[in-house]
Amino acid sequence: MRFTLNSLRARVLLLLLLIFIPVLILTLMNTEDQRRLTVAEAREDALFITENIAADNQQYIASTRQMLVALAQLPIVREKQIEPCNALLAQLLQEFDLYNNLFVIDTVTNATVCSAIPVTVDVDTTEYNWYQQTLETRAFAVGEYRIGPVTGLPAVTLSMPVFDEGNQLTAVVAAGLSLNWLNTSLRSVEVPPGTITTLVDSNGTILSRYPDDDVLTGERYNNAHVWATVLTQKQGVTRDQDLNGQMRLYGFTQIGGDEDAVYVIVGLLENALLADVQQVNQRNLLTLALITLLIVVLGWTSTRLITQPIENMTEAVRRIAAGQLSFRPTLDTEIIELQQLLLAFNDMATSVETNMRQRLDELADANQKLQQQIEERAQAEQERERLYEAEIQSRREAEKATERSARLQMLSAALSEALTTQQIAQVIVEQGGSVLNATTGAFYIVGDVPGQNVQDFIQVYITSSLLPARELQLWRQFEADPAYPITTVAQSKQALWLLPAEACTEQFPAMAAFAPYYPGGHVILPVLLREQVVALVTFSFSTIQTFSDEDRALMMAFTQLCAQALERVRLAEQAQEGAASQERQRLARDLHDAVSQVLFSATAMAEAVPRQWERNRERGKELLNEVIMLNRSAMAEMRTLLLELRPEAVGKTDLKMLFKQLIDAAKGRREIKGELVVNGDGAPLPITVHVAFYRIAQESVNNIIKHSQASRFTIQLDQDAEQTQLTVYDNGRGFNMEHLSAGLGMGNMRERAEAIGARFEMTSRPGDGTRIKVVWKYPQEED
């Protein structure tokens, strides 16, 4: 047969090709879309990591400033008492591992007076910009990251002036903030495999690299294209090859001002980000190729099965037409239509050859076929009757299987809602008793008895019992005894079906006392968990029962579900204990990081107040006011932590009081001004709205402290008869709304607002701060 477009095979293959090409194109387009989406998400993740690191750096600088303010007021620092000063600074350095060194410099001699780490080399402090800036501005100053001359480690120096009684600048107290905060920040952020984080100063010198690489510390940053982009854009994301020729996405941001800037550069390995996408693409293409090949082979084979018999029939027609009337074609095919065509063709050829004899043969054949059809019909009728009976039997078995499956589903659903062992026991006894038609049932927990090599069974739940109440109480808890069948089941891990009561008493004489109450006998089933008996279920009967194999299998399935439920309850109790432990650890960290430093500063200032009061009352009043502000800040932070310990207190505390605590706590965390504005006095808010407004304001203030670099913020609450509006705005750096990061808690605030039916709005522009507004309307009467 020729292979042309008019042939059957050509048309089948052309159709397969037309189907394959669009599927291939769609597969490639889907893979490219997945790749672009993965790269976009990676760019957002890289920028988010750098912003978090920058925010953490600002928070640590604010905490260091509070500590230096307190140290500048201490008499031993102001009077330059060398030994006590050295001891104090050494103790602080040991307690706070964020610092490389703490030291005091005399402004007259420009020499170090005291230091947490002994000074063994001569250091000319006049060449440092932070020192000169403190002398010129007589205020707090932040230097640039550099290698410390005493410690030999990269750090940024923060300094605070020290004044004498005559308000003369006599010394400078300084702290070297190490790069340990960078490792702490990175451990709190989940990054893809192969990610490299580098801290580089404005000169292009590597200050730190994570994962640690001491070989590169102090060297020049070696990617010229990335470094040029960082210096130009200050913050953003770029793409380039690293030294190993691997493509990476680099997210970067600037820390500090332009003069003393430090840059955080996070490099994400592109191959690691796209590994899953490439693997899915290869698997899809391979699967598509295999399917196409299989379809082509099947199409070619199937068309051959049709064309070959047709060619044979065509050849037979040519021969008969040429005069070979006795020629009969043969076909090797299972296609019924072709076989029927062959039979008709042979009949036609035979009729031409034999004439009258053919007619007689046809009558004989017709009679024979009629007899065969009658026999086939009789056999078909018998087969239909057999199939009908088999269908009835199958339907009965299916109904029983459906009933057993429904019972298992009901038990599984009930066990999934059970939260205690008592509830699990009630479910298994009640539903198991319903399956077996039991008179009473009991559930036992198996446990080791201290000091003895036996087991005891503590009865947790009993549905009903025919025993007197006094005797029943004795079986609430009892030691194992081989005289009772329940001990045999616990030791052998095999179920006992003791029916009737005579059979139970014959095997276990001690059960004779129960025979009058339960003449139908007992069933005892073990509950196995990892091949260990953890519980036992017993059922007792007033009348003799018979159980099928399906009933017994169903009950054993019940006990397996019971074992899983008991394990789930145990794991849930362990999870609750673990969650409570983690919450206590988090509160302990918050107390140490937030409240501890504020209280330390307040204590140091309070010690200096009496002496300062005698020398300079105006200065003493200033110190006393600062002590009061620090104490208020600590109290606000403590109240906030107490609210976290007792969430129900949030709903009971006035909303204005909650906002005031947020503002006071923020002032203690960093130097910032906060203001509360309340307009109107509307109706009390529902508890859900009350809590949602507080949580949204709390999330907003946290973002302001960590990300905005604002010097002031305002919480405004407006209430009238129709609606309540919460507005939180600041004067921070703001951001571009088109590049909104998903890590600032905006999604959580929006979900809280939508949950109470409120409208959530957020506006921000670079350099113009951020404003968050939530509007909730009181429901109308028809609603």
Side-chain angles (χ1 to χ4, degrees):
M1 183 183 71
R2 292 179 300 170
F3 190 83
T4 64
L5 288 178
N6 293 328
S7 66
L8 180 61
R9 288 183 178 178
R11 295 186 178 184
V12 170
L13 293 179
L14 180 61
L15 177 61
L16 294 176
L17 183 61
L18 293 176
I19 295 174
F20 171 76
I21 292 176
V23 173
L24 178 61
I25 294 175
L26 290 176
T27 302
L28 295 177
M29 292 176 61
N30 180 63
T31 301
E32 182 61 24
D33 291 343
Q34 289 292 332
R35 182 185 180 279
R36 287 198 295 267
L37 180 60
T38 302
V39 172
E41 292 177 351
R43 295 175 68 91
E44 294 180 0
D45 292 343
L47 187 58
F48 169 68
I49 293 172
T50 60
E51 290 179 347
N52 268 357
I53 294 174
D56 290 343
N57 175 259
Q58 293 299 324
Q59 184 173 357
Y60 287 122
I61 290 177
S63 300
T64 303
R65 181 183 183 280
Q66 292 182 354
M67 183 183 69
L68 293 178
V69 169
L71 289 175
Q73 306 301 325
L74 294 177
I76 61 176
V77 176
R78 300 181 62 187
E79 298 173 4
K80 304 173 185 177
Q81 301 176 16
I82 298 177
E83 294 302 329
C85 180
N86 285 334
L88 174 62
L89 295 183
Q91 180 182 358
L92 291 177
L93 183 63
Q94 183 178 5
E95 181 175 355
F96 301 104
D97 59 355
L98 291 175
Y99 306 105
N100 285 344
N101 194 14
L102 300 170
F103 54 94
V104 178
I105 301 174
D106 191 333
T107 59
V108 177
T109 62
N110 296 324
T112 302
V113 176
C114 54
S115 174
I117 298 177
V119 179
T120 58
V121 296
D122 294 334
V123 180
D124 184 8
T125 58
T126 59
E127 66 179 10
Y128 300 138
N129 62 346
W130 56 267
Y131 182 70
Q132 296 297 333
Q133 185 180 356
T134 304
L135 296 180
E136 293 174 2
T137 63
R138 299 169 64 88
F140 177 73
V142 180
E144 62 183 4
Y145 274 100
R146 60 188 304 277
I147 304 300
V150 176
T151 62
L153 300 173
V156 59
T157 305
L158 303 94
S159 58
M160 176 68 69
V162 180
F163 300 95
D164 61 7
E165 298 176 356
N167 201 25
Q168 296 296 321
L169 196 155
T170 60
V172 174
V173 58
L177 181 61
S178 72
L179 292 178
N180 290 339
W181 64 269
L182 178 61
N183 294 337
T184 302
S185 297
L186 290 175
R187 282 193 295 269
S188 64
V189 179
E190 183 177 357
V191 297
T195 300
I196 297 176
T197 302
T198 310
L199 191 66
V200 187
D201 64 10
S202 58
N203 297 323
T205 303
I206 297 176
L207 299 175
S208 179
R209 190 171 182 270
Y210 187 89
D212 296 334
D213 192 344
D214 295 336
V215 177
L216 296 178
T217 302
E219 299 292 333
R220 296 282 297 177
Y221 189 73
N222 46 31
N223 195 320
H225 176 266
V226 174
W227 180 240
T229 305
V230 171
L231 293 179
T232 302
Q233 300 182 8
K234 308 300 183 184
Q235 183 180 28
V237 180
T238 186
R239 181 173 179 267
D240 199 2
Q241 290 183 345
D242 59 13
L243 293 181
N244 297 325
Q246 295 179 317
M247 191 63 66
R248 290 181 179 270
L249 288 177
Y250 293 91
F252 55 88
T253 189
Q254 175 179 318
I255 300 177
D258 293 336
E259 297 180 357
D260 55 357
V262 176
Y263 300 93
V264 179
I265 304 174
V266 177
L268 304 180
L269 193 59
E270 191 171 276
N271 287 340
L273 298 173
L274 300 177
D276 293 340
V277 176
Q278 294 174 353
Q279 185 178 3
V280 172
N281 182 30
Q282 294 174 358
R283 185 170 60 249
N284 290 342
L285 292 177
L286 179 60
T287 303
L288 183 61
L290 292 176
I291 293 176
T292 303
L293 178 61
L294 179 61
I295 293 176
V296 169
V297 172
L298 292 176
W300 184 272
T301 304
S302 60
T303 54
R304 180 63 180 172
L305 294 176
I306 298 175
T307 57
Q308 183 63 38
I310 293 176
E311 293 175 357
N312 293 341
M313 293 290 296
T314 303
E315 179 65 20
V317 170
R318 292 195 184 100
R319 289 192 178 187
I320 294 175
Q324 300 179 10
L325 298 179
S326 61
F327 180 77
R328 301 291 184 270
T330 59
L331 295 178
D332 186 11
T333 178
E334 295 181 357
I335 301 177
I336 297 176
E337 289 78 1
L338 293 178
Q339 292 178 351
Q340 292 177 348
L341 178 61
L342 175 63
L343 180 61
F345 183 84
N346 289 336
D347 290 343
M348 180 191 68
T350 303
S351 64
V352 174
E353 182 182 5
T354 60
N355 293 329
M356 291 300 297
R357 186 177 60 185
Q358 179 65 28
R359 293 184 180 182
L360 295 176
D361 291 341
E362 288 179 357
L363 290 175
D365 290 341
N367 184 45
Q368 184 179 359
K369 289 180 179 180
L370 180 60
Q371 293 293 332
Q372 184 177 359
Q373 290 177 355
I374 294 173
E375 294 177 357
E376 290 177 354
R377 288 180 181 178
Q379 293 177 356
E381 187 67 24
Q382 295 176 356
E383 182 66 17
R384 281 196 295 272
E385 293 179 357
R386 185 186 65 80
L387 291 176
Y388 177 75
E389 294 177 355
E391 181 183 357
I392 296 297
Q393 182 65 24
S394 299
R395 187 177 300 175
R396 292 173 181 171
E397 294 178 356
E399 291 175 352
K400 292 182 179 179
T402 302
E403 181 181 358
R404 291 193 296 270
S405 177
R407 287 186 178 273
L408 281 174
Q409 291 177 358
M410 292 175 57
L411 179 67
S412 179
L415 290 176
S416 65
E417 298 176 357
L419 302 178
T420 63
T421 304
Q422 182 76 10
Q423 294 174 349
I424 292 173
Q426 182 175 358
V427 170
I428 191 67
V429 170
E430 288 182 352
Q431 297 203 18
S434 175
V435 171
L436 299 179
N437 195 24
T439 303
T440 180
F443 187 87
Y444 299 86
I445 293 294
V446 179
D448 293 334
V449 177
Q452 301 182 28
N453 189 22
V454 294
Q455 290 180 319
D456 67 347
F457 310 96
I458 302 175
Q459 187 168 334
V460 175
Y461 184 81
I462 297 179
T463 55
S464 61
S465 178
L466 301 180
L467 294 174
R470 179 178 300 178
E471 294 185 16
L472 182 62
Q473 187 64 29
L474 298 177
W475 295 97
R476 292 291 183 180
Q477 178 177 341
F478 59 91
E479 294 184 359
D481 188 346
Y484 295 100
I486 193 169
T487 303
T488 301
V489 174
Q491 294 176 349
S492 65
K493 305 177 185 179
Q494 300 293 327
L496 279 181
W497 302 80
L498 301 174
L499 299 171
E502 290 78 3
C504 179
T505 304
E506 182 179 354
Q507 186 173 353
F508 299 96
M511 295 295 292
F514 300 95
Y517 302 101
Y518 309 111
H522 310 273
V523 171
I524 305 174
L525 306 176
V527 179
L528 298 175
L529 181 63
R530 292 185 289 273
E531 301 301 327
Q532 296 295 325
V533 178
V534 296
L536 295 160
V537 186
T538 67
F539 298 99
S540 302
F541 305 89
S542 299
T543 59
I544 297 176
Q545 305 288 329
T546 57
F547 305 113
S548 63
D549 294 339
E550 290 79 7
D551 293 335
R552 300 191 181 196
L554 179 62
M555 290 306 301
M556 296 309 298
F558 273 22
T559 60
Q560 292 177 3
L561 293 176
C562 176
Q564 296 172 4
L566 290 174
E567 180 71 1
R568 173 179 55 78
V569 169
R570 184 185 66 81
L571 293 176
E573 293 174 351
Q574 292 180 355
Q576 290 177 355
E577 294 176 359
S581 175
Q582 292 179 359
E583 183 66 14
R584 288 194 295 270
Q585 293 176 4
R586 184 188 68 80
L587 292 176
R589 289 195 302 269
D590 291 345
L591 284 171
H592 181 272
D593 295 340
V595 182
S596 176
Q597 291 197 18
V598 175
L599 292 179
F600 171 78
S601 300
T603 302
M605 289 184 180
E607 291 176 353
V609 167
R611 295 183 183 180
Q612 189 64 41
W613 186 270
E614 295 176 356
R615 300 171 184 173
N616 187 342
R617 291 198 173 188
E618 294 300 325
R619 182 58 181 166
K621 289 180 180 179
E622 294 178 1
L623 289 177
L624 190 58
N625 288 332
E626 291 187 15
V627 171
I628 294 174
M629 290 181 62
L630 288 174
N631 284 336
R632 287 176 178 173
S633 217
M635 290 175 63
E637 194 71 34
M638 286 297 296
R639 291 192 188 101
T640 303
L641 292 175
L642 289 174
L643 287 175
E644 297 295 332
L645 287 173
R646 297 184 292 109
E648 69 279 359
V650 174
K652 299 179 181 178
T653 305
D654 184 68
L655 200 57
K656 291 176 284 188
M657 182 63 68
L658 293 174
F659 291 162
K660 185 66 170 60
Q661 291 181 13
L662 291 177
I663 294 174
D664 292 341
K667 294 178 180 178
R669 294 170 62 185
R670 53 168 290 196
E671 184 178 1
I672 191 170
K673 295 180 181 180
E675 181 183 10
L676 175 62
V677 178
V678 179
N679 297 321
D681 190 10
L685 298 175
I687 184 64
T688 55
V689 180
H690 181 98
V691 174
F693 270 37
Y694 169 69
R695 294 302 183 190
I696 294 174
Q698 185 183 41
E699 187 73 29
S700 301
V701 173
N702 287 337
N703 284 341
I704 292 172
I705 296 300
K706 294 181 64 177
H707 305 290
S708 69
Q709 299 181 3
S711 61
R712 69 177 181 272
F713 69 94
T714 301
I715 300 178
Q716 182 172 334
L717 184 67
D718 299 306
Q719 290 185 283
D720 55 31
E722 296 182 355
Q723 68 181 24
T724 297
Q725 176 177 308
L726 170 65
T727 309
V728 183
Y729 53 93
D730 62 80
N731 66 342
R733 62 178 180 176
F735 55 88
N736 192 335
M737 294 289 292
E738 295 181 356
H739 302 94
L740 177 62
S741 173
L744 298 180
M746 300 304 176
N748 293 337
M749 291 189 285
R750 188 181 300 278
E751 290 176 0
R752 291 184 186 275
E754 293 175 353
I756 61 174
R759 186 176 78 254
F760 178 84
E761 298 179 2
M762 179 180 65
T763 57
S764 180
R765 289 186 301 175
D768 197 24
T770 303
R771 178 181 296 269
I772 292 178
K773 182 168 67 175
V774 182
V775 180
W776 179 81
K777 294 185 178 182
Y778 292 95
Q780 302 298 324
E781 292 184 0
E782 59 269 23
D783 296 339

